[in-house]
Amino acid sequence: MFESLSEKQREIVFDKSDKFVVRACPGSGKTYCVSARFARLILDWEKEYEGIAVLSFTNVAWQEIEKTYSEIFQVGERISFPHFLGTIDSFVNKYIFLPYGHLVLKCDKRPILVGDPHGTWSGGRYERDHSQYFDSCSFDINGNLIPTGNPQSFHFSWKNNKDGTTNGNVINLIKSKKTLLSNGYASQSDANYFAMKILEEYPQIAKAIVLRFPYLIVDEAQDTSDIEMRIIDLLIENGLNQVMLVGDPDQAIFEWNDAKPDLLNQKFAEWENSVVLNESRRSSQLICDYTFNISSIEEPSTAVSDE
């Protein structure tokens, strides 16, 4: 089952524990390693109500993990209870924001997710009604309202007044945003921000999630935002000590959506148990040597094959 793993991959799958980063070059088999470690952990798993959470950033990515898991490692056809495999957004929604969002939104019902990818937001009763932009703005890690869509799609500028004060349109948008949040509406960006606030204000919830999922694996971790990394840090602060982050900072594709690949670099430097996976199964040595000039890795990748 695991015969195809290289020596370095076997180290990641079988020997690593606690908190560590796998910094992987292109073509090194990141998803393969994630699937293999997931399969190895499940084969040894004995707990009925505690599981492993494996997260990525797109449906295509987690479905590729599931396909590799079932077809190559043949542990089972689908990931089932008590484990979780899906996007980081779906994990946040299911286990943090939807069940507990009312605590921070101060609404009297379960929150309702609106806007992409949950549906079309149709708020706004007239042309310049600020509520029409509810799903096009959210909060940064410090709680400041910022545009999450194209700033040019707003009928006003987000710039402050000349004296440095907040312009009236933004003030009205903030009021509209708060009103709709108090009625239980939230965009996905809101859900991530308020999930962070939930874990900050209610550490017992973070502890309960850690008990439910004592192992966390995050694939394509170079695409985490500062809010998403803060959520991971809050789980760690509340007892999570088995964390594997896998990614390549040179391959970040969501920087347009607030992804910060430097966060993965910081964890790589901070966690002494981290490892570099620098074997390319995709490219020749000539290509590996050439791409080294535009990468941030410390030495050229090693081509596994001459083909």
Side-chain angles (χ1 to χ4, degrees), residues 92-203:
V92 163
N93 295 341
K94 183 174 183 178
Y95 293 103
I96 308 175
F97 180 67
L98 289 177
Y100 303 113
H102 64 283
L103 297 174
V104 289
L105 297 183
K106 308 303 181 184
C107 58
D108 58 0
K109 59 183 179 181
R110 183 181 174 92
I112 301 169
L113 288 166
V114 299
D116 185 54
H118 306 287
T120 301
W121 172 249
S122 56
R125 292 171 294 177
Y126 51 88
E127 184 180 357
R128 293 182 173 244
D129 189 341
H130 291 83
S131 63
Q132 67 183 293
Y133 304 119
F134 176 77
D135 64 331
S136 300
C137 60
S138 190
F139 304 93
D140 65 16
I141 196 168
N142 297 312
N144 301 307
L145 192 69
I146 58 173
T148 55
N150 182 359
Q152 295 179 343
S153 66
F154 296 83
H155 73 261
F156 58 87
S157 169
W158 279 75
K159 292 181 180 179
N160 288 337
N161 296 322
K162 291 182 179 180
D163 61 0
T165 58
T166 304
N167 78 58
N169 279 301
V170 174
I171 290 173
N172 288 332
L173 180 57
I174 291 171
K175 291 178 181 178
S176 173
K177 184 81 174 179
K178 289 182 177 179
T179 298
L180 289 164
L181 287 168
S182 68
N183 286 323
Y185 296 105
S187 67
Q188 186 58 58
S189 295
D190 297 334
N192 293 338
Y193 171 76
F194 285 107
M196 177 189 74
K197 301 304 291 184
I198 290 165
L199 299 185
E200 288 178 343
E201 296 179 23
Y202 299 91

Side-chain angles (χ1 to χ4, degrees), residues 236-249:
I236 291 170
E237 290 172 15
N238 285 279
L240 181 64
N241 54 26
Q242 298 292 337
V243 184
M244 172 182 171
L245 304 181
V246 185
D248 176 6

